[in-house]
Amino acid sequence: MVRRALASALASAWLNNPAHPAAVGWYCLWYPLLPDLRAAVASRGNAFYQKTCHFVSNHDEPRAAAALGGDQQGFVGAVVTSTLPGARMFYFGQFQGFSSRLLVQLRREVAQPINHTVWGLYDQLVKIVDNPVFHQGTWTNIPTSTSGTEWRLVAWRWALGSHKRLVVVNFSNEQVRWRV
């Protein structure tokens, strides 16, 4: 459900922020179905998500980089899916930024160059979500306004004792002001 809403929300997205390739949060242009993603995430609680698996790419689907509009959009999808409660799954070639689909029936793949920038982003993401707060903590969705500039955001938090993490994803190439 989340992947379908995410794919719809990012279907026409494209990279529009090449001046900041080292940014941790890459921006995508908003698509009218972002409310569907927000609703899909908000409609379920921590107990539901603990029993689910999240991914943006697998052998039955087009790769995230191709389906969501580019390497950075695929990475934004991975940020969303890997910071929700439940099992996080990554597919072969996802970290390398591969965009061609691996056809398992042919038992071979198309040679693709490794995107070291995307690999570095995934390396950071995996280190971040390896923190116990993302595995043993409590997840809470944070509603964001659909007015002002906040309409571009989805947000949630994790808490484990005194350890807290705030995840905010901006689905636009514009800066947003938001009060937590």
Side-chain angles (χ1 to χ4, degrees):
M1 182 165 89
V2 172
R3 185 185 193 278
R4 184 174 299 132
L6 180 65
S8 296
L10 299 177
S12 68
W14 55 278
L15 177 64
N16 196 29
N17 196 9
H20 304 289
V24 172
W26 293 57
Y27 302 125
C28 300
L29 293 180
W30 176 78
Y31 188 72
L33 295 176
L34 183 56
D36 292 343
L37 172 63
R38 191 178 286 120
V41 170
S43 68
R44 307 285 189 194
N46 198 40
F48 171 81
Y49 282 120
Q50 287 293 345
K51 300 173 187 168
T52 60
C53 294
H54 308 291
F55 56 89
V56 291
S57 291
N58 71 27
H59 67 278
D60 289 327
E61 305 284 341
R63 290 198 180 269
L68 301 178
D71 292 328
Q72 289 72 30
Q73 292 82 356
F75 178 73
V76 168
V79 169
V80 170
T81 59
S82 65
T83 58
L84 289 171
R88 298 153 179 100
M89 297 176 16
F90 299 98
Y91 184 53
F92 169 79
Q94 184 174 337
F95 289 20
Q96 295 87 348
F98 291 173
S99 58
S100 294
R101 186 171 172 193
L102 176 61
L103 299 174
V104 294
Q105 298 86 346
L106 297 179
R107 300 176 65 183
R108 67 182 71 167
E109 63 180 303
V110 175
Q112 298 177 71
I114 293 174
N115 183 327
H116 293 283
T117 301
V118 171
W119 194 327
L121 291 171
Y122 275 102
D123 188 50
Q124 287 179 322
L125 177 62
V126 169
K127 288 175 184 172
I128 290 168
V129 299
D130 188 41
N131 189 290
V133 73
F134 288 102
H135 301 276
Q136 301 161 7
T138 301
W139 174 88
T140 306
N141 183 58
I142 300 175
T144 55
S145 174
T146 56
S147 61
T149 59
E150 292 179 33
W151 63 265
R152 303 173 179 123
L153 302 177
V154 294
W156 42 85
R157 69 183 170 99
W158 283 88
L160 178 63
S162 63
H163 301 279
K164 296 180 180 20
R165 299 294 185 272
L166 176 66
V167 177
V168 181
V169 180
N170 181 350
F171 284 91
S172 77
N173 62 344
E174 302 291 325
Q175 288 186 352
V176 175
R177 291 187 180 264
W178 180 53
R179 177 171 276 168
V180 178

